[in-house]
Amino acid sequence: MSKATIYDVARVANVSIKTVSRVLNGEPKASAETRARVMEAARSLNYTPSLSARALSGSRSFLIALVSSGGVSDNAMLYVTELQMGAIQACRAGGYHLLTEYIDLGASDFTALTETLVSTLRVDGVILIPPLCDDPQLLSLLAQRGVTCVRISPTLDGSAEEKWGWGVDIDNYQAAFQMTRHLIDQGHRDIGFIQGHPKHAAAAQREAGYRDALFDGGPIPDRLIQPGLFTFDSGLSAARALLEQPRRPTAIFAANDSMAMAVLSVAYKMGIPVPSALSVAGIDDLPAASVVCPPLTTVRQPVMEMGAAAARFIIDRTAGQVGSYLKKVFDHSLVVRESTAPPT
Amino acid sequence: MSKATIYDVARVANVSIKTVSRVLNGEPKASAETRARVMEAARSLNYTPSLSARALSGSRSFLIALVSSGGVSDNAMLYVTELQMGAIQACRAGGYHLLTEYIDLGASDFTALTETLVSTLRVDGVILIPPLCDDPQLLSLLAQRGVTCVRISPTLDGSAEEKWGWGVDIDNYQAAFQMTRHLIDQGHRDIGFIQGHPKHAAAAQREAGYRDALFDGGPIPDRLIQPGLFTFDSGLSAARALLEQPRRPTAIFAANDSMAMAVLSVAYKMGIPVPSALSVAGIDDLPAASVVCPPLTTVRQPVMEMGAAAARFIIDRTAGQVGSYLKKVFDHSLVVRESTAPPT
DNA sequence: GGGCTGAATGACAGCGCTGTCCCTGGTGTC
DNA sequence: GACACCAGGGACAGCGCTGTCATTCAGCCC
C-alpha cells in the first residue's frame, strides 16, 4: 500500500531497474515480452515514479510553470483561469504537472524568479502571460538560462520571437477589424473606440484593426478614441468621456470585455438604452460577458486551447522534438449577442 | 552563472555541506559566525537549493497541490483564481510552491489522483475545493495515505472533521441570515430564494439562514423556494419560475452570485426594473458582481485570505507545528450595492 | 568458423540534498 | 584531575531514479 519503488517493480518483473526505467519511459530497447511483463508488474503494484528522483537524476523535471502577474481584482486577467485549465489538461496527458507562480510587478525581482524557476524548480518550461511576456528583462534572463518559454499574446517583434521563445495568440488585428466591420455593417458610422493598455502588444493591434476598418487607415477624429488600460475602472472614465460628448457615438467598441462592461454600466447609469440607442462590443468573451445585461457582443478566443498548446509545446520540445519556434495563431470567432444592433 | 550547488557554497564558506544545509534550514547547531559566513556565500553565489534533491532526501517536498474539479465555464467556480492567489502568496512566504491539479468529476479516478499526489509528487498537503472537499471516497483515500488536507467550505460534519482534515469557511448560515434580514429591513416580506447545489454543504446552510431569518424556522410557502445548482443556467430557470408567478416576490435572494446574475438577466428580459420593482441579492462577491447592472448586493468572503490560511496551515503542520485540526471560520461582510432597495 | 553487427539487458555511478551517527574541544562538577 | 556534558561541526550513507558504458547472445557475412 505504501509507496512502491522502481526496485519493487524490477523484482516483480524479474528484470533490472534500468529495464523498468526504459519501459516506463518508452525507450526503444526493450522486447515486447519484457515490456508487457514490466507494465503488468507496475500496474499490479500501483507504481508511479517519483518526480523528484526523476528530476534529480535525469534531464527533465516534468514541471511547467505558469507565471502570472497583476491582481485578481483585475477583471482583464480573468482568462488566466481558463488558460491554466488548458495547460493542466495538456500536462496531465503528457505526465507533466503545472506550477503556478506569481510575481508582483511592483517590487519585481526577476533574478530571484529566474533562479527559483531554474535552480530550485528546474522547470522544463515557462508559460508567460501578458504583460510579463513582453518584458525584455525577464525574457533575456530566462533566455540566458536556457529556459523554454511560451508567450501568450506576445508582441509581434519577429526578431525577438526566435530569441525569446514561442508564442500563441489570435490575430488581434483581424479580430478588431471584423468587429468594427460588424458594426459598420449594421449601419454604424460613429463608432467610438477605447484603447487597451499601452504596454500590451494586443492593444495596438486591436486599435489598428479598428482604424483600418473604419477609415481605411485615414485620420480618425480624436473624439472617437479614448485611452484605456484594459481594466473596468479605466473603461468607466473612457465611456464617460465618449458618452458625455454633445454628439455621442452610436456604437462603442472597447479593446476588451472588461472595458466594454464598463461602457454598459455607464450607459445604464446615464439612461441610455443598449442596444437601441448605443451598441457596445468588446473582445475576449470573458465568462461574465454572457451574463451581463444585455449579453455582450464580443470576440471569442480559444483560450483553453491556447493554454493547452503552450504546455504541449514545452512538453514536446523537452522530449526532443524541436518545435518550429514560431508563433501559433489561433482562430477567433465573432460572438454576436444582444449588445449590438443597427442604430435607430 | 549556471546552477550553484550546496558544494559550491560549502567550499566558499569553508565548511561542510552539512553545515550549509543546517544554516539554510534554520537548524539550531550553528554559531552565529558560521551562519553569517554561509549566508554570505550563498548570496554571493546566488544559490537556491534544488527542490528535487531536498524532496528526495528529506521528508518535505515543499509542494502543495490545489485540486479543483468542474469546468471553467462554471461561473460559480470563479473564486478558485482568488483562492489560488492567496495560496500562492502564502507558499512564496514559506518557500513552498503551488501545484494545480484538476480532476474530472465525471470519469474520476480518485485512486490515480491520490497515487500521483502521494507517490509521484509527494506533496506536503492538499487543498480541496468543493465539491471535492466533501467526497468521502477521496477524503478517505487521502487520509489513508496520511496526506494533510485542508478543505475549503467543507460540510459541518464534526466527527469527520478530525479524520479528514482542517477546513476553512465563512459562516454561511449567518451570511444568509444577515442578507435576508437586510431585505426584511428594507421592507420586503415576499422574498424568493434560489437554492444552491444539493451536494455543496454551504447550500443547505445558506438556505437555513434564509428560512430562519424570514420565518424563524416556520414553514415557508413552496412557491418562494426554487432549486438551483449554483450555476448561471440553473439560476435562469429558477428566476423564471419565481418571476412568472402571478404574485411574484418583491425580492429574490440567490444562494450565490452566479444565480443572482441570472435573476438580473431574466428581470431585464421581462422588463422588470431592478431594484425599483425587484431587489436581487447573492453571495460570494464574484469579480463580476460589481460590474453587472445594477451592481449586485452580495456577501463578500475573504477568499484570498482563506487560500493563504489553507496553505499556511499545511506549511506549518509539515514544519512540525501541530495544527489544531479544526475549522477556521472567516469573517464575511455584507456588500450593499444597487440591486437592493425598499419595495415601492 | 571467426569476426562482426546490433538488439536486449544489466552494472554502476552519480544527481544534490538530508538524516544519522560520530568526533572535537571547551565547561562545569565534585 | 577525572568525568560527564554539550555546543558546534563533519563523515557518510542513502533517497529513487537516469545516463553511460559494458556485457551477452543471436544472426549474418565471407
Side-chain angles (χ1 to χ4, degrees), chain B residues 6 18 21 47 57:
Chain B
I6 196 172
K18 181 61 213 186
S21 169
Y47 168 76
S57 114

Side-chain angles (χ1 to χ4, degrees), chain B residues 194 235-236 239 243 252 254 259-268 278 280:
Chain B
I194 305 181
L236 247 25
L243 294 175
I252 296 181
M259 298 192 297
M261 288 188 238
V263 176
L264 249 26
S265 176
V266 171
Y268 174 82
L278 176 74
V280 179

